[in-house]
Amino acid sequence: SNSKYRGFILVLTFLFYTAYHLSRKPISIVKSELHRNCSNIIQPKDINITNNVTWCDWPPFDQDNYQTLFGVLDNCFLVAYAIGMFFSGIFGERLPLRYYLSIGMLMSGLFTCLFGLGFYWNIHSLGYYAFVQVMNGLVQTTGWPAVVACVGNWFGKGKRGFIMGVWNSHTSVGNILGSLIAGVFVSTAWGLSFIVPGIIIACTGVLCFFFLVESEFQFVRQNPKYFPKVSFRFEAISFLGALCIPGVVEFSLCLLFAKLVSYTFLYWLPLYISNVAHFEAKEAGDMSTLFDVGGILGGILAGLVSDYTGGRATTCCVMLVVAAPMLFLYNYIGQRSLGTTIGMLLLCGALVNGPYALITTAVSADLGTHESLKGNARALSTVTAIIDGTGSIGAALGPLLAGVISPSGWNNVFYMLISADVLACLVREQSLSVYLHRINLFLFNANANQLI
């Protein structure tokens, strides 16, 4: 049996993508340290202070436009990530995944550390931090298409929703660990909030280089006794060819709006909790991890339900429909008591991240190994990249809109998030019948061609 090898690959790829997310999270925790209300902090005697309100801030984030500047940093990463993702899947199909992932993680470690070194090198240039964010955004695109292709190569369709639901909790586990690690150093030396995660992802890159077996095909070549009669197709698919697979465009647009909501929470929730509930930077960061704990539960639940019912699209839609009123409720009653805050964060995390997790993993893998491709496993990387790349446009838009809207009040940010949730559901619902029709048409044509 090769089940132990499958388990090993699952654990290994889980660790890899946990490290990717772990290294993305620190900036959201450090934001509330880069700009604080300094009038409440005891002033050291050896510093000549000219402004009581901003003396403890880190320039250039000591100005009134600090939220816009934070938005710029978020978007440097997210726009680079969204653009890079469309190319990443194409490279991921044509290069050995082991080398591709290893180099990606080592480079991600380098740029994450460079952001933190700005603290020790006393760098106050927005351009420096923006450049590091752009480069980090580009190299981080190596992760997702490669790990999904790896898991898709090892696991059949069967109970993929549940397996992918459990496995996809790496996103939330990485966010939680990133928040906790960054929180340890944020108030003393925020540079270490980036350097420690940077070292961790670089180490996982070394682990990948030595231990990753990227597909059953490699395993079969080395251990033919396990699979004497297995055949594989490994031709790369074109970008347009992947777009023509039924469901790819529809799920991509649905993910755009779902990821807009998820990433706005990822980047702005600690600051929201800090502003509204008046928590310190570390407390707000720790509290925000509850959203990700909810995300883990939501991803597993979505996977289980979709496996049981066979309806990926319906599961996504129901969760998105329920998420909209829950976001509205969280904004109005979420900060009344500690118990309410915890409960609402868990619930909103599950409902927002459940559909997002299902689309990016199980759906991507199902579409990438669609019957129309006749077993071509290589298409998986490109399909995953198209869906996640489109979703990443939403991931870039969300924090950008939050940065623009938040000065006018947090209520307006939540109205924007609720609208995006409703749009995600509408896109999915409108395209469901079209999706089913296209599948039938696609398979009918394929059968007709075989008869001819």
Side-chain angles (χ1 to χ4, degrees):
S1 168
N2 74 328
S3 58
K4 63 179 180 181
Y5 293 98
R6 286 183 170 182
F8 177 69
I9 292 299
L10 211 60
V11 171
L12 207 57
T13 50
F14 183 94
L15 286 175
F16 296 160
Y17 213 67
T18 296
Y20 272 99
H21 259 265
L22 182 147
S23 66
R24 284 180 208 173
K25 186 65 182 174
I27 190 164
S28 70
I29 305 301
V30 172
K31 274 178 190 173
S32 46
E33 182 68 21
L34 296 176
H35 186 97
R36 296 185 285 169
N37 183 0
C38 305
S39 55
N40 299 331
I41 298 167
I42 299 166
Q43 301 174 359
K45 293 186 173 67
D46 57 338
I47 296 176
N48 184 25
I49 292 160
T50 55
N51 190 324
N52 284 336
V53 181
T54 63
W55 68 268
C56 67
D57 294 340
W58 188 268
F61 308 105
D62 56 346
Q63 305 300 315
D64 291 338
N65 67 340
Y66 71 99
Q67 285 181 315
T68 307
L69 298 184
F70 288 150
V72 167
L73 289 187
D74 291 344
N75 276 279
C76 283
F77 176 92
L78 291 165
V79 171
Y81 185 84
I83 294 167
M85 185 59 77
F86 289 105
F87 298 100
S88 179
I90 296 165
F91 289 128
E93 276 191 12
R94 290 160 174 80
L95 298 172
L97 294 180
R98 184 164 66 97
Y99 299 144
Y100 193 53
L101 270 171
S102 300
I103 292 167
M105 283 190 270
L106 287 168
M107 295 301 288
S108 293
L110 170 68
F111 289 112
T112 304
C113 287
L114 281 174
F115 197 107
L117 287 168
F119 173 79
Y120 293 99
W121 295 340
N122 211 28
I123 295 172
H124 297 283
S125 159
L126 182 69
Y128 171 82
Y129 296 109
F131 171 75
V132 170
Q133 285 286 85
V134 167
M135 294 308 296
N136 204 6
L138 289 173
V139 295
Q140 286 255 338
T141 60
T142 54
W144 191 240
V147 293
V148 172
C150 244
V151 173
N153 287 342
W154 277 90
F155 287 85
K157 268 195 176 183
K159 294 295 179 188
R160 185 176 266 169
F162 175 68
I163 290 167
M164 291 291 210
V166 174
W167 177 77
N168 195 62
S169 64
H170 52 46
T171 302
S172 297
V173 171
N175 288 342
I176 292 165
L177 289 175
S179 297
L180 296 177
I181 292 167
V184 170
F185 306 107
V186 66
S187 300
T188 48
W190 63 258
L192 285 174
S193 296
F194 290 92
I195 291 168
V196 173
I199 291 168
I200 291 171
I201 190 171
C203 290
T204 55
V206 174
L207 199 69
C208 173
F209 183 79
F210 287 110
F211 293 105
L212 182 68
V213 180
E214 60 192 64
S215 69
E216 278 186 340
F217 177 67
Q218 276 192 341
F219 179 75
V220 170
R221 280 197 309 184
Q222 294 161 14
N223 303 274
K225 61 181 178 178
Y226 288 112
F227 291 106
K229 295 179 182 177
V230 175
S231 63
F232 298 87
R233 285 184 75 229
F234 282 101
E235 294 91 351
I237 191 172
S238 70
F239 188 82
L240 284 173
L243 278 178
C244 290
I245 297 168
V248 168
V249 172
E250 293 91 330
F251 273 112
S252 297
L253 291 173
C254 181
L255 187 63
L256 187 149
F257 293 110
K259 223 171 170 184
L260 186 152
V261 179
S262 185
Y263 268 68
T264 304
F265 272 97
L266 177 72
Y267 280 90
W268 288 90
L269 187 57
L271 195 65
Y272 170 75
I273 293 170
S274 180
N275 283 3
V276 176
H278 309 294
F279 282 16
E280 288 295 314
K282 185 182 186 308
E283 291 172 333
D286 291 349
M287 186 65 74
S288 71
T289 61
L290 290 169
F291 185 81
D292 289 300
V293 174
I296 294 172
L297 301 173
I300 293 169
L301 181 67
L304 269 173
V305 171
S306 70
D307 275 347
Y308 183 73
T309 61
R312 302 262 196 255
T314 312
T315 307
C316 287
C317 209
V318 169
M319 292 184 88
L320 289 167
V321 165
V322 180
M326 287 303 122
L327 290 173
F328 185 81
L329 266 179
Y330 172 63
N331 187 36
Y332 275 89
I333 66 163
Q335 309 300 333
R336 287 187 180 176
S337 68
L338 189 62
T340 314
T341 303
I342 291 169
M344 290 303 294
L345 279 173
L346 288 170
L347 187 60
C348 290
L351 293 169
V352 167
N353 283 347
Y356 160 36
L358 191 62
I359 295 167
T360 51
T361 50
V363 171
S364 295
D366 284 355
L367 294 175
T369 53
H370 192 264
E371 288 90 341
S372 61
L373 296 167
K374 301 183 181 68
N376 182 2
R378 269 288 175 93
L380 194 52
S381 184
T382 298
V383 168
T384 304
I386 288 170
I387 291 177
D388 202 49
T390 309
S392 298
I393 296 169
L397 277 174
L400 173 68
L401 291 171
V404 172
I405 296 168
S406 58
S408 69
W410 286 104
N411 281 0
N412 296 332
V413 174
F414 274 85
Y415 295 145
M416 179 266 288
L417 295 177
I418 291 162
S419 304
D421 234 354
V422 171
L423 282 169
C425 188
L426 287 175
V427 167
R428 182 66 250 132
E429 197 59 46
Q430 286 290 317
S431 59
L432 185 55
S433 57
V434 179
Y435 171 49
L436 294 171
H437 173 69
R438 283 175 65 187
I439 283 182
N440 290 332
L441 198 64
F442 206 96
L443 294 176
F444 174 80
N445 289 338
N447 290 333
N449 290 336
Q450 284 177 356
L451 290 171
I452 293 165

